[in-house]
């Protein structure tokens, strides 16, 4: 039996291995979505597929990797996973993501015995889906690209050219797509090599014991935190803007969250069924997003391990938007980005002191593609945008940071976008007055304006524009997201959740939402309101209208008498 010190040394060795997987990936990937944005999920897993170490990226990917590896073992059997083999899986209902989020994983053997897995998931650029870039309106799985149901990329260390040739002859961007997949393989090799080194140094028995202890400890921490949470059942609902087919019809997400002494139950019964478009979630992704919320409430300060989620139970209805079954389309996975805050909305009823108001609620991604006139080559670049976070009991929401589903991610730098594409960033900054007013205000969103210098396709991936970010404890809702083509002109049109072909000279504004407010905004300290106005977060007019604070337009000093009179009128009403 391991002593605690040995277990802790092995744990940190596994964490270092996972970090090396991520760094190797970023050094070798071809695609800025991977190496700039960090749109990936990596992990080291035990022989059952349960994660014991990861490195930050897309938060829901790591739990999805667990799910995918276990589905692959069910399908192939452990005995089919040989030494030095490498597999690729992108069948959505097993892999927990759409076809372009390919999961590459490598079984790890030592002295002939399976001791674990190394995994790496990234967003690749093209696998023969019906549309270049991103699919917004597929109606079944067969329009969404090539499926690899846990097939070998490498057998006993030898490349399977048949699979790579299928990709090469069925991808619009074969060099970058294969380059990214090979980067995944290289990353997994790093994880395999480092895990074997640990096994060689400490022995297989010690490694297995440490992996078990890591997850046992993770479970104990989660159960201890769960015991401190309020007990009860709370309900909430919110909406996705559309399914990509019926653009005027909201898609309902309905949840009931129950906390007992033993578990948290997140039940999606009653959510929309028979959704025609591609916003349906594979069951594995629903489990992953629920895991993210659960961890944020129970063990937010420790690395992800599978044991953290032992007290969590997720209930879904097969055939619903939260549990896609073949051949339901799943390409536009934005439901998984919005649904986590529906869970928080329910929990806020029972623990408003622990849960923030809604953030901007989306990752507000703009993807551009076309032919670059500078070199005649196809280009595709994308970036997610920051949103405002919700106010909470302890303070204001953060201004302009990445959505909570992607805490390890970044946006694509202006210099990279302008170098690699025919786009110019005309402006980029905070979006004043977008945060929800409150005693603790919501954070503000951002606005980025693109000008296209050549014919291009712009895909506007945002699905929370019609319902506003909700507030708590008497705060006010925030301003919603929007993507506007040619803003401020006679040709202005909202293209949120749609794609557009833009001519040279056309502009597109990506305006992200703020966070909801917390508490009565007329109770906010006027000094804080003045600081907000001075910093450009709140306008002079909004200070008076939303907070009852009268400020001098040039000095931002508070007129105390006028403020007292204005606030008195508010409280009398």
């Amino acid at each position: 039996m391991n002593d605690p010190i040995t277990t802790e040394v092995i744990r940190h060795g596994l964490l270092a291995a996972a970090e090396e997987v991520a760094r190797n990936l970023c050094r070798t990937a071809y695609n800025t979505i991977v190496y700039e944005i960090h749109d990936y999920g990596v992990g080291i897993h035990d022989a059952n597929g349960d994660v014991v170490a990861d490195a930050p990226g897309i938060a829901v990917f790591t739990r999805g990797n667990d799910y995918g590896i276990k589905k692959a073992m069910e399908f192939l059997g452990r005995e089919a996973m040989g030494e030095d083999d490498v597999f690729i899986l992108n069948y959505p209902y097993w892999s927990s993501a759409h076809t372009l989020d390919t999961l590459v994983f490598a079984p790890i053997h030592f002295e002939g015995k399976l001791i674990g897995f190394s995994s790496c998931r990234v967003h690749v650029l093209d696998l023969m889906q019906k549309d270049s870039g991103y699919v917004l309106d597929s109606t079944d799985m067969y329009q969404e690209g090539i499926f690899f149901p846990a097939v070998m990329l490498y057998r006993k260390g030898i490349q399977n050219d048949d699979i790579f040739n299928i990709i090469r002859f069925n991808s619009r961007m074969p060099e970058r797509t294969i380059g990214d997949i090979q980067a995944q393989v290289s990353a997994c090799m790093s994880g395999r090599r480092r895990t074997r080194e640990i096994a060689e140094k400490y022995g297989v028995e010690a490694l297995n014991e440490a992996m078990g202890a890591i997850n046992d400890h993770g479970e104990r921490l989660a159960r201890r935190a769960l015991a401190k949470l309020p007990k009860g059942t709370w309900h909430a609902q919110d909406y996705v803007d559309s399914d990509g087919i019926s653009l005027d019809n909201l898609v309902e997400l309905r949840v009931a969250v129950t906390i007992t002494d033993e578990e948290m139950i997140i039940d999606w019964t009653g959510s929309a069924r028979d959704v025609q478009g591609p916003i349906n979630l594979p069951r594995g992704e629903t489990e992953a997003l629920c895991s993210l919320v659960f961890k944020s409430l129970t063990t937010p300060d420790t690395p992800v391990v599978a044991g953290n989620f032992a007290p969590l139970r997720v209930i879904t209805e097969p055939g619903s938007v939260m549990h896609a079954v073949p051949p339901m389309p799943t390409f536009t996975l934005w439901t998984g980005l919005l649904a986590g805050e529906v869970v928080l909305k329910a929990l806020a009823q029972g623990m408003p002191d622990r849960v923030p108001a809604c953030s901007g609620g989306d990752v507000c991604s703009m993807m551009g593609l076309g032919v670059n006139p500078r070199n005649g080559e196809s280009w595709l670049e994308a970036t997610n945008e920051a949103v405002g976070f919700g106010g909470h009991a302890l303070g204001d929401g953060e201004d302009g940071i990445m959505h909570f589903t992607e805490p390890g991610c970044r946006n694509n730098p202006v210099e990279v976008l302008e170098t690699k594409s025919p786009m110019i960033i005309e402006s980029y900054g905070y979006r004043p007055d977008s945060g929800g007013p409150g005693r603790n205000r919501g954070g503000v969103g951002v606005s980025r304006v693109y000008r296209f210098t050549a014919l291009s396709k712009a895909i506007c991936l945002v699905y929370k524009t019609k319902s506003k970010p909700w507030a708590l404890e008497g705060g006010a809702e925030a301003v919603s997201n929007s993507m506007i083509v040619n803003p401020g002109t006679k040709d202005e049109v909202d293209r949120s959740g749609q794609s557009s072909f833009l001519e040279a000279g056309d502009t597109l504004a990506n305006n992200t939402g703020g966070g909801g407010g917390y508490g009565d905004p007329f109770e906010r300290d006027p000094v804080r309101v003045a600081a907000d106005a001075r910093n450009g977060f709140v306008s002079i007019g909004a200070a008076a209208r939303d907070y009852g604070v009268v400020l001098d337009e040039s000095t931002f000093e508070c007129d105390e008498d006028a403020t007292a009179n204005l606030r008195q009128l508010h409280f009398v009403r």
Side-chain angles (χ1 to χ4, degrees), residues 29-42:
Y30 281 48
N31 169 8
T32 61
I33 294 173
V34 179
Y35 67 78
E36 290 289 357
I37 296 177
H38 290 183
D39 190 331
Y40 60 71
V42 304

Side-chain angles (χ1 to χ4, degrees), residues 5-69:
I5 294 175
T6 301
T7 296
E8 190 69 358
V9 170
I10 291 174
R11 183 176 77 87
H12 280 274
L14 294 169
L15 286 169
E19 184 62 36
E20 186 173 335
V21 170
R23 294 194 178 196
N24 190 336
L25 173 69
C26 289
R27 283 197 301 268
T28 56
Y30 281 48
N31 169 8
T32 61
I33 294 173
V34 179
Y35 67 78
E36 290 289 357
I37 296 177
H38 290 183
D39 190 331
Y40 60 71
V42 304
I44 306 296
H45 310 253
D46 66 16
N48 295 317
D50 289 318
V51 66
V52 293
D54 84 333
I58 297 283
V60 297
F61 275 1
T62 303
R63 289 293 291 154
N65 291 5
D66 280 26
Y67 192 93
I69 291 171

Side-chain angles (χ1 to χ4, degrees), residues 98-119:
H98 64 189
T99 47
L100 295 190
D101 288 339
T102 54
L103 170 60
V104 171
F105 64 94
I108 304 170
H109 292 78
F110 187 77
E111 296 179 346
K113 181 179 180 181
L114 178 67
I115 61 172
F117 295 89
S118 176
S119 73

Side-chain angles (χ1 to χ4, degrees), residues 227-248:
K228 298 176 183 178
L229 295 179
K231 307 303 185 284
T233 299
W234 307 279
H235 299 81
Q237 65 188 59
D238 210 333
Y239 300 90
V240 183
D241 282 351
S242 79
D243 67 355
I245 304 294
S246 302
L247 299 181
D248 295 328

